[in-house]
Amino acid sequence: MNKVVENVELALSGIKDDMTLMLGGFGLCGIPENSISQLVKMGVKNLTCISNNAGVDDFGLGLLLQTKQIKKMISSYVGENDEFERQMLSGELEVDLIPQGSLAERCRAGGAGIPAFFTPAGFGTEIAEGKEVRIYNGKPHILELALTADFAIIKAWKGDTEGNLIFKAAARNFNPLMAMAGKITIAEVEELVPAGTLNPNDIHTPGIFVQRIFQGDKFQKRIEQRTVRQKV
Amino acid sequence: MALDKIGIAKRIAQELKDGWYVNLGIGIPTLVANYIPQGIEVEFQSENGVLGMGPFPFEGEEDPDLINAGKQTITVLPGASFFDSATSFAMIRGQHVQLTVLGAMEVSQNGDIANWKIPGKMVKGMGGAMDLVASADNIIVAMLHSNRAGESKILKKCTLPLTGVNCVKKVVTELAVMEIKEGKFYLLERAPGVSVEEIISKTDGDLVVPDVVPVMNI
């Protein structure tokens, strides 16, 4: 089944105001940067964005915060973004902070047909408020609900025309989980190849989870914390 | 003399055991990787999806697709693997990681930890910290004994929003190594040149002090 769309404009068609989007990536690593630029161009607003982080001021989801297109963020860590902090503390932006492992599992569960699960993470903290608690193996656990999205927008290294995906290094992170949890999943890839080119043994995300795939025009792949050691 | 950050990292590194998988948090914990004791093998897990982390890359060899949980560029060692975030936290929640080292703003004598939020001032989020502290059997906290205003961060009860309850086993500060058990801090070691009196005066929580407090061997 051919999932290829010609360009980012077609790939993101159908995304409207008030929708819930999942966006892959950890920090600026493995984010669908071409799609984020297109969301800015489209001007869709009142978005609920599920993403581990919120980008930096001038890149990643930070771009959508600057244009005030995001109504609510569901994330685990949002430091490194002054505009985010300003909007959150002033109450302009609704923020739901959840433990990173729970966020990952909630996406996975959403895509796997599991409506909820119990986890020990967050028990005894403010994030457990209002959540059902059960004791398993002598330890308290809290109930977390699955997450799904109108669109999941993810980024892969290589993809084929069937939507099969391979991620590179730590750029995998949330991408395969969100791919499963989107009603429509859009994969932005660095290199798009014909079906049959990729070895089936190497596929990380099977094409069944991907509805649209396109090759990004250009990738900046910014580094947030460039850290090096000296040659001795 | 109180320890510097490197001293704290060196002392925590002495806790590493051969064959352990270890998760290091951001800040001082990251430095622990530089002081692995000779003759033992440990593997570092980064919750963004890396097992087998190596040192920082040489200039010009940075890969934007290869970072640690602190978003720093890294390298990997032979035998490393990459995986998605759900698999990563399966390693953590499923107790496949033997030691977690993380920083804290406050720790209390029943093992509670606060490190993710200062209401009205700073909200960066908990990242993976809540999952890590809720599941790990062995948690060591690397922190300073007092805040900038000189107030103790080693408390009877945490004042900031909690990250986890009843989970911290050991605390290493610039002044002391303390174990947490039975609702109290137990002083195990003091930093070179630091008196027991100084540690007592800077500790708000209940502190059990043995007759002889050995000096850390850094």
Side-chain angles (χ1 to χ4, degrees):
Chain A
M1 270 174 276
N2 192 328
K3 311 283 178 67
V4 177
V5 287
E6 219 163 298
N7 51 43
V8 68
E9 287 85 0
L10 289 170
L12 268 62
S13 66
I15 297 182
K16 297 194 171 64
D17 294 355
D18 305 304
M19 279 188 166
T20 296
L21 308 181
M22 281 182 181
L23 296 112
F26 183 99
L28 301 179
C29 180
I31 61 171
E33 48 181 281
N34 289 281
S35 299
I36 292 171
S37 302
Q38 177 61 18
L39 287 171
V40 174
K41 271 192 211 150
M42 289 163 77
V44 282
K45 52 188 192 299
N46 280 326
L47 299 172
T48 295
C49 291
I50 304 171
S51 181
N52 188 56
N53 312 86
V56 294
D57 279 316
D58 62 346
F59 198 57
L61 284 183
L63 296 171
L64 288 175
L65 286 166
Q66 275 184 11
T67 50
K68 306 217 161 96
Q69 289 172 259
I70 302 177
K71 177 185 71 177
K72 180 177 181 181
M73 277 298 309
I74 300 176
S75 304
S76 87
Y77 186 85
V78 292
E80 278 65 79
N81 189 321
D82 293 338
E83 176 61 13
F84 184 98
E85 203 155 11
R86 192 197 63 72
Q87 288 186 23
M88 176 168 57
L89 291 172
S90 72
E92 286 164 62
L93 181 69
E94 223 182 301
V95 179
D96 193 0
L97 288 170
I98 46 186
Q100 196 175 123
S102 298
L103 178 62
E105 196 64 18
R106 288 174 72 178
C107 294
R108 201 196 74 82
I114 296 173
F117 58 90
F118 282 94
T119 174
F123 172 78
T125 75
E126 64 182 53
I127 71 118
E129 284 166 21
K131 290 176 183 164
E132 186 184 338
V133 175
R134 278 200 204 174
I135 311 284
Y136 289 105
N137 304 321
K139 254 184 89 165
H141 295 73
I142 62 173
L143 185 70
E144 291 284 9
L145 303 180
L147 289 168
T148 55
D150 296 305
F151 284 85
I153 309 175
I154 63 160
K155 190 257 163 181
W157 180 34
K158 292 179 183 174
D160 70 16
T161 49
E162 296 273 318
N164 295 306
L165 304 176
I166 297 175
F167 303 92
K168 193 181 144 213
R172 193 179 321 182
N173 54 64
F174 284 81
N175 284 300
L177 312 166
M178 292 180 168
M180 296 195 292
K183 284 178 197 135
I184 295 175
T185 292
I186 303 162
E188 161 177 337
V189 299
E190 288 180 54
E191 193 185 340
L192 182 59
V193 298
T197 314
L198 303 175
N199 184 333
N201 284 307
D202 296 338
I203 303 297
H204 295 132
T205 289
I208 192 169
F209 296 119
V210 175
Q211 281 68 47
R212 304 175 187 172
I213 188 167
F214 74 100
Q215 186 171 305
D217 266 352
K218 57 173 194 275
F219 288 90
Q220 286 189 44
K221 295 178 74 166
R222 272 203 221 173
I223 294 175
E224 213 167 324
Q225 306 282 344
R226 187 179 299 276
T227 313
V228 296
R229 73 188 139 131
Q230 299 306 317
K231 281 203 169 112
V232 221
Chain B
M1 255 272 287
L3 300 179
D4 57 8
K5 286 178 180 179
I6 288 173
I8 296 174
K10 281 183 175 168
R11 177 59 192 83
I12 291 173
Q14 294 172 8
E15 303 283 321
L16 300 174
K17 299 243 170 15
D18 191 38
W20 274 6
Y21 292 101
V22 178
N23 181 290
L24 300 176
I26 296 164
I28 299 174
T30 305
L31 301 173
V32 172
N34 299 331
Y35 306 102
I36 306 168
Q38 291 242 314
I40 74 163
E41 201 182 326
V42 294
E43 214 164 292
F44 293 107
Q45 199 252 19
S46 190
E47 64 265 28
N48 57 316
V50 184
L51 197 58
M53 250 195 302
F56 297 126
F58 291 119
E59 188 152 10
E61 293 173 10
E62 311 92 315
D63 178 353
D65 290 324
L66 186 47
I67 62 170
N68 63 16
K71 286 128 191 166
Q72 296 170 305
T73 42
I74 54 162
T75 60
V76 288
L77 299 172
S81 55
F82 302 120
F83 34 86
D84 67 62
S85 301
T87 305
S88 178
F89 282 91
M91 294 174 191
I92 290 163
R93 259 190 262 96
Q95 301 192 326
H96 307 281
V97 173
Q98 278 79 26
L99 173 67
T100 288
V101 183
L102 74 176
M105 298 173 189
E106 294 177 346
V107 165
S108 78
Q109 62 195 31
N110 67 336
D112 294 354
I113 175 171
N115 73 353
W116 72 284
K117 183 179 184 182
I118 304 173
K121 258 199 207 155
M122 187 282 288
V123 190
K124 292 191 187 297
M126 67 292 282
M130 283 192 183
D131 310 270
L132 281 157
V133 301
S135 306
D137 258 342
N138 195 2
I139 299 172
I140 301 179
V141 166
M143 66 188 293
L144 296 178
H145 224 90
S146 323
N147 63 20
R148 283 201 195 99
E151 297 156 339
S152 181
K153 303 200 287 183
I154 312 295
L155 303 171
K156 287 189 168 62
K157 199 172 185 302
C158 292
T159 63
L160 294 170
L162 296 179
T163 309
V165 292
N166 239 319
C167 52
V168 178
K169 299 291 188 295
K170 209 173 247 186
V171 182
V172 180
T173 74
E174 79 281 24
L175 305 178
V177 180
M178 292 165 294
E179 195 180 356
I180 298 177
K181 58 179 183 190
E182 292 143 9
K184 291 190 179 78
F185 293 103
Y186 283 76
L187 184 56
L188 298 184
E189 295 174 21
R190 57 195 170 91
V194 170
S195 69
V196 170
E197 289 69 33
E198 181 179 357
I199 296 166
I200 293 172
S201 76
K202 289 184 174 166
T203 304
D204 167 81
D206 295 334
L207 182 68
V208 178
V209 182
D211 292 341
V212 180
V213 181
V215 175
M216 293 181 210
N217 180 18
I218 298 290

